[in-house]
Amino acid sequence: MPAAYEVTATRKRPQDFDRLVGQDFVVSTLENAIKERRIAHAYLFSGPRGVGKTSSARLLAKALNCESGPTPHPCGTCDSCQAIAQSKSVDVIEIDGASNTSVNDIRAIKEEVMYPPQSSRYKIYIIDEVHMLSTSAFNALLKTIEEPPEYIIFIFATTELQKVPATIRSRCQQFRFHLIGQDLIMSCLRSAAEDIGVEADEDALFWIARESTGSMRDAYTLFDQVAAFSGDHITLQKIREKLSVAGFGAIASIMRDAISGDRAATLDGLSELFSSGVSADQIIKDTADFLRTMMLYKAGIRRTDILGSALSDIPEDIVDALSEEQIEAALKAFLNLYRDIRYSLSPRFEIELLFLRLSSLPSMVSASELVRKLEDLKKGVADGSIVMKAPRESIKVLQVPKTEEQQAPAEMPAPQQPATVENPPMPEAPVEEDEDDGFAEEPEKPFSLSLGDLGAIAEALRKMGKAAAARYISNIERIDEDDGAFTFVTSKALAYNSLKNDEKSLEKAIAAAFGEDPAIRLRLEEKESGDSVFSPRMRELKAVFGGNLIRTGKEENKPEEEDAAEHEPVRNAEDNGLYTEPDEDD
Ligand SMILES: [Zn+2]
């Protein structure tokens, strides 16, 4: 980088309307007005900071005072053009409204305007941040812009249009400037990087563009900052390291841990962020950004300039796991935290607490969701798709012996069992009526449960206030059907243990969702360990005691190390001495 480095915002300041980016409407209106010599005596440029208001004011001054003008395309070479470009024109007076707010300053202007321009066509006053003027200053100004001398032109600029008195506004030709689109900022940054001969990764420029939130000036300022420490190659990695930002991926990962209820991993992830130097403010800000992107994506927005993220960075699993209302609630919580954080004893504690609370997010039900569900229920009852049944307590009592009976090895030849190890069961197949134990009520049609029903079960659990169970039900990987009883199989120990603790609720939820109450069992199955080659009794034992089922007679079927590590809460079979022999029928 050259020693005398000109800041990019200055270097890239447009010298021609054609170079003014992102304000096409303003540009074409001004150009036409100049072409047709419809020149007003007072202009008011309003809009966010850094989008080109002052640049436009200078361009307009140039266009009006160019020796070959007034022209929409000032020559840039005449004395007037050059003087304005160097801010040296005696006839173009720039005043910062923020520091010249008094009525005396305006009186000085009032007197000055009596003298015609020295060397130009017009005497032009550019007053920036005009809303900062005092009321009396405005009143003094008003007299001047009501009846200005022919050669006087005022160009006012403001970020806060509503603070400019209506009496002033109504006497000005108004132009509203808009935030500049992310794509446009990206392409300007690309060209800025080319200008200084620096390679810049797209994702790095994307980040800068997003951070600048539509302000070209902010984008260039940030670009300079990044370029200063990036050497000849600007990368997102360098930005993250040097500017200590959390990054989308890091937030996504912590968020994923938080909503799946893994508190240890959540706190670990946060701790890593803090120790890499990311400030509490930044974490809250980055998380709010992340949640906003989720919210917009969920609402169907796919334009990356609005999302503030590349589509490939969107974590679909998190989007799917949360409803719109849940994402909104989380975003609100982080925005509130940002507001309150300066009063906090420990920002870090607040952040940790909030992330842990996110674990209850998936089970949060909003009022509108409840109303919708009630409507569905009403409709279902009305059109007969939901059939209400009387509670069948007596049958429930009878089901207990059934479960025990089925545990008896002799009862369970289960010839189709091994087939279900690798292949999903065929729940469509009617329950075989080979067993009449007097309590299996004759169903009108065979009742079956498939993975597709988990959503409805989760809903029912949620309605019962069983948030944890509702969350973990999604970890069920297979439902085995066996003589009208259903075995919910998961390889996730955490999910298994939690659901096992709440087995009664699970049965109630299925009854509520489908009006059926089949016997439900839960099974923890090691991935690829082939538990189902063991008898149901063994599997029941495993369900009660935990651990893994291992063949000790024939070939050792030892679980893989990493598998064992994955299921921490379940103690290893070797630890608790639970060695098991497969049954003779296996
Ligand atoms: Zn010129």
Side-chain angles (χ1 to χ4, degrees):
M1 211 168 297
Y5 180 67
E6 190 183 14
V7 296
T8 305
T10 311
R11 182 164 47 84
K12 300 290 261 185
R13 178 169 288 150
Q15 300 300 335
D16 195 297
F17 279 117
D18 293 342
R19 303 273 309 274
L20 185 77
V21 292
Q23 311 296 349
D24 298 348
F25 176 76
V26 171
V27 167
S28 61
T29 313
L30 279 176
E31 280 183 345
N32 282 335
I34 297 165
K35 226 178 284 169
E36 293 161 18
R37 297 283 194 277
R38 286 182 285 106
I39 291 155
H41 284 279
Y43 294 88
L44 176 54
F45 293 170
S46 64
R49 55 188 297 275
V51 297
K53 297 186 300 296
T54 317
S55 295
S56 298
R58 292 194 190 118
L59 277 179
L60 179 57
K62 237 184 187 178
L64 294 174
N65 274 353
C66 178
E67 281 166 16
S68 56
T71 165
H73 303 289
C75 70
T77 52
C78 70
D79 289 348
S80 170
C81 282
Q82 292 208 326
I84 294 171
Q86 295 160 17
S87 303
K88 284 177 186 162
S89 171
V90 286
D91 295 318
V92 176
I93 302 109
E94 286 192 42
I95 296 164
D96 178 9
S99 49
N100 300 278
T101 59
S102 76
V103 67
N104 287 335
D105 296 319
I106 300 302
R107 277 209 191 103
I109 296 174
K110 270 179 84 176
E111 280 162 26
E112 268 186 48
V113 300
M114 304 314 291
Y115 305 101
Q118 291 181 25
S119 56
S120 316
R121 198 171 295 114
Y122 295 103
K123 193 169 189 175
I124 300 170
Y125 287 88
I126 298 174
I127 305 183
D128 205 4
E129 299 299 355
V130 69
H131 63 271
M132 302 287 279
L133 294 181
S134 64
T135 310
S136 47
F138 271 125
N139 287 337
L141 191 59
L142 195 56
K143 297 250 164 59
T144 315
I145 59 172
E146 268 177 334
E147 291 164 12
E150 267 305 295
Y151 49 81
I152 290 290
I153 290 175
F154 285 102
I155 307 174
F156 304 120
T158 181
T159 48
E160 296 185 63
L161 184 60
Q162 75 284 359
K163 289 188 182 164
V164 179
T167 45
I168 300 278
R169 272 188 275 163
S170 63
R171 284 166 175 81
C172 296
Q173 204 174 97
Q174 291 191 47
F175 290 89
R176 286 176 195 242
F177 287 63
H178 297 111
L179 287 173
I180 299 165
Q182 192 145 0
D183 294 347
L184 208 48
I185 293 184
M186 286 271 288
S187 70
C188 290
L189 292 175
R190 237 175 260 132
S191 116
E194 269 168 37
D195 289 352
I196 57 168
V198 164
E199 194 186 340
D201 287 356
E202 281 292 289
D203 55 358
L205 295 184
F206 196 96
W207 182 86
I208 296 173
R210 186 171 65 94
E211 283 300 295
S212 57
T213 60
S215 161
M216 200 68 236
R217 188 170 61 220
D218 287 359
Y220 282 141
T221 306
L222 190 53
F223 173 83
D224 287 345
Q225 196 187 344
V226 168
F229 60 67
S230 289
D232 54 4
H233 190 179
I234 297 174
T235 68
L236 191 54
Q237 184 60 27
K238 286 178 191 166
I239 292 174
R240 281 188 188 144
E241 280 165 14
K242 293 284 183 178
L243 297 183
S244 293
V245 293
F248 213 73
I251 297 292
S253 155
I254 299 174
M255 190 67 74
R256 191 173 289 119
D257 290 335
I259 59 177
S260 68
D262 193 339
R263 299 163 79 91
T266 307
L267 294 172
D268 259 1
L270 283 172
S271 173
E272 234 169 77
L273 273 190
F274 278 112
S275 48
S276 70
V278 185
S279 69
D281 269 17
Q282 191 68 42
I283 293 177
I284 300 171
K285 193 171 156 285
D286 290 347
T287 310
D289 266 354
F290 174 88
L291 288 165
R292 173 184 172 272
T293 301
M294 297 293 101
M295 180 178 76
L296 296 178
Y297 188 83
K298 193 95 184 171
I301 304 285
R302 292 296 178 270
R303 276 178 54 190
T304 51
D305 59 327
I306 301 177
L307 284 173
S309 159
L311 285 178
S312 57
D313 286 346
I314 302 280
E316 296 273 357
D317 58 333
I318 297 179
V319 177
D320 291 345
L322 300 173
S323 72
E324 280 181 26
E325 282 104 342
Q326 288 161 350
I327 296 173
E328 282 166 24
L331 176 56
K332 186 108 183 52
F334 276 92
L335 291 174
N336 286 343
L337 180 56
Y338 192 78
R339 202 186 47 211
D340 299 342
I341 200 78
R342 61 207 149 113
Y343 301 116
S344 173
L345 177 67
S346 164
R348 176 171 178 158
F349 294 175
E350 304 267 3
I351 291 172
E352 288 171 342
L353 195 60
L354 186 47
F355 266 97
L356 290 183
R357 284 192 186 145
L358 289 181
S359 65
S360 60
L361 207 56
S363 48
M364 188 199 91
V365 181
S366 72
S368 63
E369 209 176 335
L370 277 179
V371 169
R372 203 166 54 232
K373 290 200 177 106
L374 279 173
E375 290 295 327
D376 286 351
L377 187 64
K378 221 164 82 182
K379 226 171 69 191
V381 171
D383 67 18
S385 63
I386 296 175
V387 180
M388 305 296 246
K389 287 199 175 183
R392 298 185 295 175
E393 286 305 321
S394 55
I395 292 165
K396 279 203 161 227
V397 174
L398 275 170
Q399 272 181 341
V400 179
K402 176 186 178 183
T403 315
E404 278 167 8
E405 209 174 19
Q406 282 181 336
Q407 283 170 13
E411 282 282 311
M412 294 303 295
Q416 78 275 39
Q417 262 317 84
T420 64
V421 179
E422 304 300 336
N423 308 321
M426 296 173 294
E428 286 76 31
V431 182
E432 282 163 43
E433 294 296 327
D434 56 347
E435 184 184 42
D436 184 27
D437 29 33
F439 53 78
E441 204 181 53
E442 285 290 332
E444 298 93 45
K445 50 183 177 187
F447 174 63
S448 72
L449 279 174
S450 69
L451 291 180
D453 296 317
L454 292 180
I457 299 174
E459 285 304 336
L461 284 165
R462 230 169 262 146
K463 280 184 201 155
M464 292 159 58
K466 300 290 179 185
R471 191 161 66 244
Y472 283 118
I473 197 82
S474 65
N475 286 324
I476 295 300
E477 289 146 8
R478 206 175 71 225
I479 299 174
D480 289 345
E481 190 177 349
D482 185 12
D483 291 328
F486 295 88
T487 306
F488 284 50
V489 185
T490 178
S491 64
K492 305 278 193 311
L494 208 60
Y496 172 80
N497 290 337
S498 168
L499 289 170
K500 190 77 189 162
N501 286 338
D502 224 349
E503 213 164 9
K504 281 279 160 291
S505 300
L506 185 54
E507 286 181 358
K508 279 187 196 150
I510 290 167
F514 304 105
E516 296 274 354
D517 47 4
I520 299 297
R521 277 170 295 178
L522 281 159
R523 180 143 57 86
L524 178 64
E525 184 177 273
E526 283 294 320
K527 264 190 185 136
E528 291 165 34
S529 72
D531 266 3
S532 38
V533 303
F534 296 97
S535 74
R537 185 182 189 180
M538 285 301 136
R539 283 183 257 134
E540 290 282 348
L541 280 172
K542 174 178 166 168
V544 173
F545 292 106
N548 296 319
L549 295 179
I550 296 166
R551 283 172 183 273
T552 49
K554 307 145 207 173
E555 78 278 340
E556 275 277 67
N557 190 6
K558 222 176 165 179
E560 289 161 84
E561 294 290 26
E562 67 260 37
D563 255 357
E566 249 180 60
H567 307 298
E568 223 177 14
V570 182
R571 278 177 297 159
N572 195 285
E574 282 150 310
D575 294 338
N576 54 25
L578 185 68
Y579 283 88
T580 55
E581 276 285 349
D583 273 39
E584 64 281 4
D585 56 62
D586 278 314

